[in-house]
Amino acid sequence: MQRIVVLISGRGSNLEAIVQRAAAEAWPARVTAVLSHRPDAAGLAWAQAQGIATAVVDHRDFASREAFDDALAAAIDAHAPHWVVLAGFMRILGDAFVQRYAGRMLNIHPSLLPAFPGLHTHRRALEAGCRVAGATVHFVTPTLDHGPIVAQAVVPVREGDTPQTLADRVLAAEHRLYPLALRWAVQGRLAVDGQAVQQLDGEAQHLFCDDPVEAP
Ligand code: GRF
C-alpha cells in the first residue's frame, strides 16, 4: 500500500475528495498524513476525525524559508510517503525541497496553466475576458505553477460571474480532477517526458465540466 502525504493550508476540500475517492475506488494507496503550516487549517480537524495522522509545521517558527523547508521535509519524511500532494498549499517551496520530491509531488492550480500562474486566478481570468476557465494538476518543479501537466479540467465562464462564482465552479471540477490524476499516479499509469505527461492507457487527460457535479 503506497503512502500519500497531503499538504494543506485551509479548508481541505480537495483533500476530502482524494480521501473519499481513494477509499471508494480501492486505490493501492491511502492518505497516511496531512500536514499544514497553519495550525488553524480546517482540513486538519477533518483529517483527525477520519483517523488520519496530522502535523503542523508553523512557518512563523522559522527564521528562513530554508529552515522551514527542512522542518517540513522532516515531518513529511517521518511518514516515508511515496507521494506528496499539495492541495491548496499556499507556501512557496524552495528548490532543494522541490528536488527532494521530484517526480512524486503533485499540485493543483485553479487555472488552465500556463495561463495565470500565481494568485487571484479567477479575478484575472474574468478581467482577461476568458470564456473558459479551469484547473490543472501538474508535477511540481522549481518554477512556480510550471511543472509537467497531468490533467486539466475546463469550465465555462458564465454571464455575470464573479471571482467567487467562478471559483466555486472550478472547485467542483477540481474535486473530480485531482482524484483522477492522483489515481493514475499511484497506479503507475503516468509517463513523464520533459514537459509532456502521457496517461498510459490512453485515458483523456482533460475533463469538460459544464455544470460539474460532485463525484458520488
Ligand atoms: C483550490 O482552489 C486550489 O486549487 C487552490 O486553493 C484551493 C484549495 O481549496 N490552490 P481546498 O483547501 O482544497 O478546499
Side-chain angles (χ1 to χ4, degrees):
M1 186 65 78
Q2 294 171 63
R3 291 174 296 279
I4 302 168
V5 168
V6 180
L7 273 53
I8 63 169
S9 294
R11 175 179 51 188
S13 67
N14 278 292
L15 162 70
E16 288 189 36
I18 288 166
V19 168
Q20 285 162 1
R21 296 317 295 167
E25 296 171 352
W27 294 6
R30 63 190 171 87
V31 175
T32 48
V34 176
L35 308 187
S36 183
H37 61 105
R38 295 186 56 126
D40 59 347
L44 290 173
W46 183 86
Q48 284 161 9
Q50 313 306 306
I52 300 171
T54 63
V56 174
V57 181
D58 192 330
H59 59 282
R60 294 167 300 191
D61 293 342
F62 299 90
S64 68
R65 172 171 300 166
E66 290 72 26
F68 168 74
D69 282 3
D70 287 349
L72 185 61
I76 292 170
D77 292 349
H79 297 278
H82 300 79
W83 297 95
V84 177
V85 168
L86 309 183
F89 187 71
M90 303 300 285
R91 297 289 299 177
I92 291 178
L93 298 162
D95 287 6
F97 182 96
V98 171
Q99 293 299 348
R100 185 184 191 94
Y101 303 106
R104 56 193 180 104
M105 182 156 61
L106 294 172
N107 181 44
I108 191 162
H109 181 72
S111 80
L112 293 172
L113 292 172
F116 312 123
L119 298 174
H120 309 300
T121 55
H122 306 301
R123 175 165 60 72
R124 290 157 65 201
L126 292 174
E127 286 172 358
C130 294
R131 306 313 306 182
V132 294
T136 303
V137 174
H138 64 95
F139 283 97
V140 178
T141 56
T143 306
L144 183 69
D145 298 331
H146 195 265
I149 290 172
V150 177
Q152 293 185 299
V154 182
V155 306
V157 173
R158 295 197 191 286
E159 199 61 38
D161 260 340
T162 64
Q164 187 58 55
T165 60
L166 183 55
D168 292 345
R169 191 173 308 121
V170 170
L171 188 67
E174 291 180 42
H175 295 162
R176 295 175 57 193
L177 185 72
Y178 214 169
L180 180 68
L182 184 55
R183 176 168 62 78
W184 292 335
V186 302
Q187 291 176 336
R189 306 314 296 155
L190 297 175
V192 184
D193 180 11
Q195 277 294 113
V197 181
Q198 189 188 1
Q199 206 289 337
L200 293 170
D201 307 302
E203 287 192 41
Q205 287 167 258
H206 57 262
L207 297 174
F208 293 118
C209 302
D210 208 349
D211 296 317
V213 290
E214 297 285 330

